[in-house]
C-alpha cells in the first residue's frame, strides 16, 4: 500500500466534517468524505498521486472535457464487517474496465499502483465514514477527465484522474416499471456503449425523461439496428426469468460488462440456478408475459445491487409481472450482499481487505 509519503503526498484536513453528517438520512451521492485523490497525467506520464482535502478546483474553460466529452468513470463500494474491517469487492475488475474505457476514449491507461493502492490508501484514511450494518456502504467514484486546454478537436495531452468517496445507504426505489425502447438507443455497434463513458449517460437523459413523463422509471434498451433484442435496463444490466431459468444478454460492444452481472451469473451457477447468457427477444418476452412463464425481470448494478422490475410496456400495452414468493433476484441479492459484508464465506475470492 502507498502508506508512506514517498509514494503519495498526503495533506489532511484540520478538522473532519463527519460529525455534521446525518448517516441515517443520506440521499445517494450528495455527501462526500474529507479527502480526495488526484493524479495528473502530463508530458506522457502519470505524476505522483496526492491526497488532499475535498474541494473544488480550477480548470481552463477550453479544457477538452467540456467540449469533446473525454470523461470516464467507475462505480464501486467499500463495506465494513462486524469486526470493523473494511472490504472492497472485485476491485481488479473495475481497474480492468477503467483501462478498457480509457483506450476507447483515447485516454491514457492507469497503473494498478495508482488506481488500487491509491484507492486503498484513501479509503483507509476515511474508514470512519464506512458504517457497519447491511445496506451501509461507502460509494467510490474513480474518474478521469481531459484537462488539456484548446478547442481543437483532438485528444487531450493532459488528464486528471481522481477518486471521491460518498457514504451511502441502500434505498428502496419504489416500484420500477419499464418501457421497452422502440426508437432511441443507448449504444450502437462500433460505438462507446461498452465503455463507462460520461457521454453514455448524457445520451440517456432525454429518452429517460420522456419515459418518466409516461410513468416509467426506466427504459429497457434494445439493439440499435433492429430494436428486437433486450440489452440493458437504464444504466444496469438486465436479467429475465422465464420459468426457472434466468437469461441475460451476452456482453458485446453495446453492453457494459457489469461486475454485478458477472458475479450474479457465477453465484447462480454455484447455487444450481439455471442461467443462460443469450439475447432475449422482445417478442419472446411478450409471449412469456402472456402465457405466464415470465416470472421476473431485474436490473443488476453496483448502486442498487439488484433492482426488481414489476412490469413493462411495449407498443402501448403494459404487461404486469406476477408476484413471486420465491424470487431468484432477491435470493441472489441476499447471497451477494452477504459475501460483500463478510457474512458468508467468500468461496470465489472476490473480497479484498483494506
Ligand atoms: C456501470 C454500469 C452497469 C453496471 O456495472 P456494475 O459493474 O455491475 O456496477 C451496467 N450497465 C451500464 C450501462 C453501466 O454504466
Amino acid at each position: 500500500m502507498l502508506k508512506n509519503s514517498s509514494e503519495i503526498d498526503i495533506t489532511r484536513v484540520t478538522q473532519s466534517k463527519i460529525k455534521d453528517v446525518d448517516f441515517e438520512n443520506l440521499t445517494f451521492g450528495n455527501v462526500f468524505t474529507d479527502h480526495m485523490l488526484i493524479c495528473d497525467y502530463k508530458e506522457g506520464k502519470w505524476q505522483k498521486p496526492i491526497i488532499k482535502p475535498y474541494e473544488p478546483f480550477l480548470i481552463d474553460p477550453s479544457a477538452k472535457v467540456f467540449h469533446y466529452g473525454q470523461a470516464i468513470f467507475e462505480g464501486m463500494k467499500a463495506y465494513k464487517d462486524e469486526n470493523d474491517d473494511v472490504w472492497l469487492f472485485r476491485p481488479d475488475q473495475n481497474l480492468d474496465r477503467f483501462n478498457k474505457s480509457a483506450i476507447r476514449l483515447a485516454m491514457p491507461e492507469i497503473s494498478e499502483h495508482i488506481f488500487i493502492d491509491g484507492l486503498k490508501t484513501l479509503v483507509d484514511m476515511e474508514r470512519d465514514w464506512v458504517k457497519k450494518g447491511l445496506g451501509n456502504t461507502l460509494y467510490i467514484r474513480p474518474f478521469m477527465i481531459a484537462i488539456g486546454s484548446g478547442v481543437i478537436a483532438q485528444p487531450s495531452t493532459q488528464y486528471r484522474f481522481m477518486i471521491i468517496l460518498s457514504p451511502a445507504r441502500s434505498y428502496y426505489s419504489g416500484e420500477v416499471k419499464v418501457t421497452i425502447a422502440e426508437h432511441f438507443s443507448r449504444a450502437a455497434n462500433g460505438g462507446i456503449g461498452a465503455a463507462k463513458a460520461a457521454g453514455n449517460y448524457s445520451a440517456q437523459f432525454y429518452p429517460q425523461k420522456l419515459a418518466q413523463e409516461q410513468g416509467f422509471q426506466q427504459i429497457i434498451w434494445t439493439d440499435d439496428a433492429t430494436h428486437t433484442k433486450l440489452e440493458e435496463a437504464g444504466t444496469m444490466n438486465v436479467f429475465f426469468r422465464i420459468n426457472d431459468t434466468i437469461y441475460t444478454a451476452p456482453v458485446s460492444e453495446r453492453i457494459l460488462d457489469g461486475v454485478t452481472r458477472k458475479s450474479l451469473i457465477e453465484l447462480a451457477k454455484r447455487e444450481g440456478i439455471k442461467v443462460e447468457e443469450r439475447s432475449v427477444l422482445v417478442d419472446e418476452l411478450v409471449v412469456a408475459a402472456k402465457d405466464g412463464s415470465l416470472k421476473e425481470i431485474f436490473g443488476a448494478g453496483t448502486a442498487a445491487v439488484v433492482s426488481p422490475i414489476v412490469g413493462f410496456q411495449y407498443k402501448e400495452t403494459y404487461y404486469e409481472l406476477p408476484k413471486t414468493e420465491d424470487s431468484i433476484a432477491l435470493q441472489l441479492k441476499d447471497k451477494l450482499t452477504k459475501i460483500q459484508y463478510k457474512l458468508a464465506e467468500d468461496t470465489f475470492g472476490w473480497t479484498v481487505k483494506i
Side-chain angles (χ1 to χ4, degrees), residues 131-168:
K131 298 297 177 192
K132 270 198 281 212
L134 271 181
N136 293 318
T137 57
L138 185 65
Y139 184 78
I140 302 167
R141 172 53 63 90
F143 63 102
M144 194 203 316
I145 53 172
I147 57 170
S149 58
V151 293
I152 182 165
Q154 63 190 30
S156 180
T157 53
Q158 289 180 33
Y159 295 89
R160 176 160 293 180
F161 170 72
M162 298 187 67
I163 305 174
I164 55 176
L165 308 173
S166 176

Side-chain angles (χ1 to χ4, degrees), residues 63-84:
K64 294 209 170 25
V65 64
F66 298 136
H67 305 274
Y68 307 117
Q70 268 186 303
I72 58 169
F73 67 95
E74 272 302 318
M76 314 161 64
K77 282 175 172 174
Y79 312 82
K80 190 172 264 180
D81 70 13
E82 287 305 310
N83 304 319
D84 284 326

Side-chain angles (χ1 to χ4, degrees), residues 97 186 196 201 232 235-237 256 258-260 300-302:
R97 189 169 68 191
R186 190 196 80 85
K196 222 164 165 70
Y201 281 62
E232 296 212 53
T235 56
M236 290 184 282
N237 294 112
L256 204 287
V259 180
T260 315
T302 297

Side-chain angles (χ1 to χ4, degrees), residues 232-233 235-239 258 260-261 264 298-302 305-307:
E232 296 212 53
T235 56
M236 290 184 282
N237 294 112
V238 66
F239 286 78
T260 315
R261 175 191 174 280
L264 292 179
F298 56 97
T302 297
V305 189
V306 159
S307 177

Side-chain angles (χ1 to χ4, degrees), residues 185-235:
S185 299
R186 190 196 80 85
N189 282 335
I192 60 168
K196 222 164 165 70
N200 286 331
Y201 281 62
S202 51
Q204 287 197 52
F205 289 160
Y206 176 66
Q208 191 175 339
K209 186 178 95 165
L210 297 181
Q212 279 167 352
E213 283 166 6
Q214 296 192 309
F216 300 101
Q217 288 70 37
Q218 279 303 348
I219 298 173
I220 294 202
W221 299 107
T222 47
D223 67 293
D224 63 297
T226 65
H227 295 288
T228 57
K229 294 177 195 158
L230 299 158
E231 308 230 298
E232 296 212 53
T235 56

